[in-house]
Amino acid sequence: MKAIRRFTVRTVLPERLRGLEELVGNLRWSWHHETLDLFRSVDPALWESVRYDPVRLLGEVSPDRLAVLAEDRRFLRRLDAALDDLRDYLTAPRWYQSAVDGDAPAAIAYFSPEYGITAALPQYSGGLGILAGDHLKTASDLGVPIIGVGLLYRHGYFSQSLSPDGWQLEHYPAIDPGGLPLTLLREPGDGAPVRVAVGLPEGRTLHAQVWLARIGRVPLLLLDSDVEDNDQAARDVTDRLYGGGTDHRLLQELLLGIGGVRAIRAYCRIDGHPAPEVFHTNEGHAGFLGLERIRELVDEHGLSFDEALEAVRAGTVFTTHTPVPAGIDRFPRELIGKYFGGSAALEGVPVDRVLALGEETYPEGDRTVFNMAVMGMRLGQRVNGVSRLHGAVSREMFGGLWGGFDVAEVPIGSITNGVHAETWVAREVLDLAVRETPSVLEGRGWDSVLDVPEQEIWRVRRLLRERLVLDARRRLRESWGQRGASEAEMAWIDDALDPDVLTIGFARRVPSYKRLTLMLRDPDRLRALLTHPERPVQIVIAGKAHPADEGGKRLIQDIVRFADSEDVRHRIVFLPDYDMALGQMMVQGCDVWMNNPLRPLEACGTSGMKAALNGGLNLSIRDGWWDEWFDGQNGWAIPSADGLSDPDRRDQLEASALYELIDDHVSVMFYDRDAAGLPRRWLEMVKHTLATLGPKVLATRMLRDYVHDLYAPAATSARAMAADGYAGARELASWKARIAKAWPGVAVDHVESAGEDSPHVGAHLNVRAVVSLGELSPDDVAVEAVYGRVDPSDAIVAPSYLELTAVTPENNRVRYTGDIPLDRTGPFGYSIRVVPRHPLLASRTELGLVALPPTPPGMTNGDLR
Ligand SMILES: *Cc1c(COP(=O)(O)O)cnc(C)c1O
């Protein structure tokens, strides 16, 4: 019989071992090796069998063993030391406390639909969640006062196995929050669990409780709708990650955004934590948080919707994560109408205003949908992509929201992702760093990596490769067993893979743009690489297809069938159930990390960064982060046939370039050994990669960028809006309304310049313009000369801007003048534009309004009337 409810009965630890509970209760253990060592020594065999999950360890360890440990002085000393270390970590000042000034926010709320903290908490599906986990861990390490918000999915993401013929099978093991390092958020008085409620149509209400996970110093609040106050449908809202249909997803996002803000308010009230000044939404799913904050401001401060919108925008950061249209969250407009109208409406937040926020108003937009990314950009004054290339692609993609501006000026920046070293770097590599280059661990002196003895690096690389090979064999056995193979049929697995063969890794989700099967394009070519007599290659593959993605499952099946063939199965393996634990094993053990997405659809990618930090080399299409940081010596770039419109031909070209690179370069270098058996040139590349990429790919670099470039400016803007009873927000809202109304009356009437008859470098060009301002005053606008090199079509390339000075108002027209420096030789051009100006704007493009001269200004001597 199946149980109808499940829960976990916890062990009662002997008094002297209670500290173990404190250690387990803070997920810092997931990246703290000394604490993990301590857990291992509780019961080494059990530690293996519970797959390094300390909650299960404490649940299953025998009372006899606990009694022994409670008397073991050496163990107790280590336990006390680990506790001391944790308490110190949680309270001592860190980077944020000394490196930032008064501009820095007192707290930041970070919203994400998924979090990858540890394999033992399967609340993530891929890169978005892993990044969120790394963001919180790094915030903790740096002392950045973030509060994380997410949902607790009762089934998390699926675990994957294979059918006998290689088809992906999904299982959704139920989690039990009582068996996880989580505590319920409770009211201080009566200890009742905190309840968050969100109004639904037809008078229904969605209730949720709030679980608290401690990620080092960072609290993570996870909302859970599986509570008695809910009907079954409402209980199932948080049943699984990205499960169900459109309605289900919308309900999850309502709970995350609106319920999430309410959970934060409850947490801050109970804990005394300062209220967040900045709200960061990791992709569009949590965007409704902005609507709830508007509601709060309307209700508590009597602001109008528009005034509240300005206040909210100022303190909101929105990060977009994908240029793949299918990856962007969109809902039918009727559905939004239903959930934000009638009895479900948020007070002070009219449904037509909600709908307008998500409208795709650009020319190619679909007017029947509500786009969460578009809403994110309208509700956040600061928007970023996740690599330099992705920033550029996003400016192109969403530029229509900013009307008449050049793509380069679209106010979407970028902060390239990074990875949390302690989570992803092998213990042995960290130990090597402690011994040989200690300064690196404090983030300095990366050049010292170049002096590390090569045989030391090679020894560690061999060890990690071997560990991967052994783990792969264990996983293969398990998988083949599940697929129905007999013991005799599995004998070959004992010799599958080889700890001395060049090992290439490929692991990722399986959407079509990632092209899992590009390597299969020419099976004979691949077979030849795998079975090369002197320079063999072995490939370790993992990845999950979305449960609804039949195409992706077919790709997995293609790979599995190829890898099942007797002639290559010892050199190419597909390992089921890609998760953080397998990911760690792979990025640590592979010599080469391969990535072949369709450029430019990979927004950033982070697995290659993890490999690089472990001394792996990247072999990748120049997409995402690799486009930015490939330098010709830190790995290999697979040439991309970007411009080709025929996808088949493109795959053909890129696959053949890939085979060639592996055959002629990668494997040649790997097997080129000196007298001591070391691949010198390879190891030089490894050192170069560590020394130069190391500091860039760290999440500490990423988080500092977020603090300096986004969080601190957003906090400053938010304070400027809120001061004096939200005077700034009121002022800005009414100014924007006035500008929008009067803008049709703004025009550049006339332009002339002097000095172009004998232009030379170092001279100046005096420009004069006459501008009609209609109802506006010179204080409302900036009149700018836009100048620089021009291309053959007269477009100004990488323009500079010079603000002109108003000289004389004449009726409604104003004369402006300025001197453009002629700072370069060659073809040069300029134009004039008028843009709205206000100190509370983050950029002059913000309103999407610009007035340009009617025709390109000729270099005429027109008369200035
Ligand atoms: C790092 C990681 C990802 C993201 O890596 P990409 O390079 O973006 O594919 C996804 N899943 C797991 C388990 C990871 O460890």
Side-chain angles (χ1 to χ4, degrees), residues 126-127 130 424 508 514 578-580 605-607 610:
I130 303 282
W424 299 108
R508 41 194 42 89
K514 299 218 184 212
Y578 181 39
D579 70 351
M580 286 182 74
T606 52
S607 51
K610 302 169 193 167

Side-chain angles (χ1 to χ4, degrees), residues 10-126:
R10 297 198 187 214
T11 328
V12 180
L13 292 175
E15 185 62 37
R16 193 59 186 83
L17 298 179
R18 285 286 158 79
L20 282 170
E21 269 168 6
E22 185 177 336
L23 287 176
V24 173
N26 192 313
L27 282 148
R28 188 205 184 207
W29 57 255
S30 66
W31 71 94
H32 193 249
H33 291 286
E34 283 82 44
T35 307
L36 290 169
D37 285 348
L38 184 76
F39 292 154
R40 173 189 308 275
S41 57
V42 167
D43 184 337
L46 183 59
W47 180 242
E48 291 294 322
S49 79
V50 299
R51 305 300 314 153
Y52 323 120
D53 177 344
V55 183
R56 282 182 61 198
L57 176 84
L58 292 194
E60 295 179 26
V61 62
S62 73
D64 294 349
R65 176 68 187 150
L66 289 174
V68 170
L69 289 176
E71 303 293 323
D72 179 340
R73 287 183 32 212
R74 208 173 91 81
F75 182 83
L76 295 175
R77 263 201 312 276
R78 287 171 60 209
L79 172 58
D80 292 343
L83 277 172
D84 266 359
D85 183 79
L86 176 63
R87 290 171 188 156
D88 187 52
Y89 173 84
L90 295 178
T91 50
R94 307 190 73 85
W95 170 79
Y96 193 81
Q97 284 63 44
S98 59
V100 291
D101 50 26
D103 291 346
I108 301 126
Y110 181 88
F111 283 63
S112 174
E114 47 172 302
Y115 287 93
I117 308 288
T118 153
L121 203 60
Q123 301 282 317
Y124 60 91
S125 76

Side-chain angles (χ1 to χ4, degrees), residues 165-166 483 556-565 568:
D165 63 349
R483 293 173 70 193
I556 290 179
Q557 189 176 39
D558 289 344
I559 285 278
V560 172
R561 284 186 172 159
F562 183 85
D564 280 350
S565 331
V568 292

